[in-house]
Amino acid sequence: MTVVAAVWSALRTVRDPELDEPLPDLGFVARCEVDPAGGARVELRLPTYFCAPNFAFLMVADAYDAVAGVRGVTRVEVVLLHHFAADVINRGVAAREGFVASFDGEAAGELDGLRADFVRKAVLAGTDRVCRALLAEGVDAARLPGLTLGDVPAGPDLDRLRRRRNELCLPAGDEDALLLDPVTALPITPSEAKRHLAFARLTRTSMEANSGVCRGMLRVRYPRIQEEENTG
């Protein structure tokens, strides 16, 4: 694998925190280049000029960390384009400062809690995906609270759910409950299941709707994305 291919692979591990999707899949990576000396430059673009600066900071910082870990990369530059806080974010990430230091006097705290909240939403959305598949196969909804992850057929949705639960240090083994509270890590009881599943479904549909809106806005803002897709 070439270094630039490895950088693209690393970028696929970086997600929009709200949408839980890789940046390249969303079209957020405008350019990715690696020079002969191993210097990597990545340019990121977002759907609007006013995308939330905390979300943007997380994506730029995560992209920096992912690219910096690629073997063969000797220097990293990640640049956010066409955003009202781009200068502050680009400078802060390049200096390896946190969110508070980058937005001196304007930020109330670092973003660890926000990141964890989004991963909890991803756990709920992932739970809905695997449960919908089980219900489609004829599993009685009343059985779901008694099932474990080991009862779910193997597949990418189950793998994704396990990874998100692992990120929060939630139980993710075959013997662990399929339905659990992503905050307390406690299994969902039968009396709680209907409400839990409804919330999981609402979370998934909300994330997917936001993803569709963001993709559409990005393609309006950058029409060449559509041209690139049409020409392969």
Side-chain angles (χ1 to χ4, degrees):
M1 179 183 291
T2 64
V3 177
V4 69
V7 170
W8 274 107
S9 180
L11 289 171
R12 285 192 53 76
T13 69
V14 182
R15 309 189 305 268
D16 179 301
E18 184 181 24
L19 306 179
D20 193 41
E21 295 186 54
L23 301 193
D25 291 3
L26 291 163
F28 288 2
V29 180
R31 179 172 298 182
C32 172
E33 298 175 336
V34 180
D35 64 31
R41 177 182 171 87
V42 174
E43 295 179 353
L44 301 180
R45 59 193 171 194
L46 297 176
T48 75
Y49 186 71
F50 298 102
C51 285
N54 47 2
F55 297 2
F57 188 92
L58 282 174
M59 287 185 271
V60 175
D62 288 354
Y64 188 103
D65 291 341
V67 175
V70 173
R71 188 173 185 177
V73 169
T74 58
R75 179 176 51 81
V76 180
E77 184 180 16
V78 179
V79 179
L80 177 63
L81 304 172
H82 314 143
H83 187 277
F84 81 94
D87 289 346
V88 174
I89 292 172
N90 293 337
R91 184 170 56 248
V93 170
R96 312 308 294 137
E97 294 178 341
F99 185 68
V100 172
S102 298
F103 286 84
D104 186 24
E106 300 180 85
E110 296 297 342
L111 304 176
D112 297 338
L114 177 68
R115 186 193 297 278
D117 286 343
F118 281 127
V119 179
R120 292 188 186 100
K121 289 184 177 181
V123 168
L124 287 168
T127 300
D128 181 64
R129 290 189 188 94
V130 299
C131 286
R132 288 171 64 227
L134 289 170
L135 295 173
E137 292 176 359
V139 173
D140 190 331
R143 290 186 55 211
L144 294 178
L147 298 183
T148 67
L149 291 178
D151 295 318
V152 178
D157 284 339
L158 177 60
D159 293 342
R160 182 178 177 181
L161 176 58
R162 289 186 194 272
R163 289 196 298 271
R164 299 298 178 268
R165 284 169 61 152
N166 280 326
E167 288 179 31
L168 293 171
C169 298
L170 296 173
D174 282 348
E175 72 285 2
D176 293 313
L178 168 61
L179 303 185
L180 60 73
D181 187 319
V183 176
T184 66
L186 294 174
I188 299 299
T189 66
S191 64
E192 299 168 330
K194 184 176 180 179
R195 181 178 180 183
H196 179 80
L197 291 169
F199 187 48
R201 184 181 311 112
L202 178 63
T203 301
R204 177 189 58 77
T205 54
S206 175
M207 292 171 67
E208 291 178 355
N210 285 341
S211 176
V213 170
C214 288
R215 289 171 187 272
M217 293 177 72
L218 188 76
R219 281 150 183 76
V220 170
R221 191 180 189 197
Y222 299 100
R224 289 191 60 182
I225 295 176
Q226 192 71 46
E227 297 174 12
E228 293 165 2
E229 291 173 343
N230 291 338
T231 58

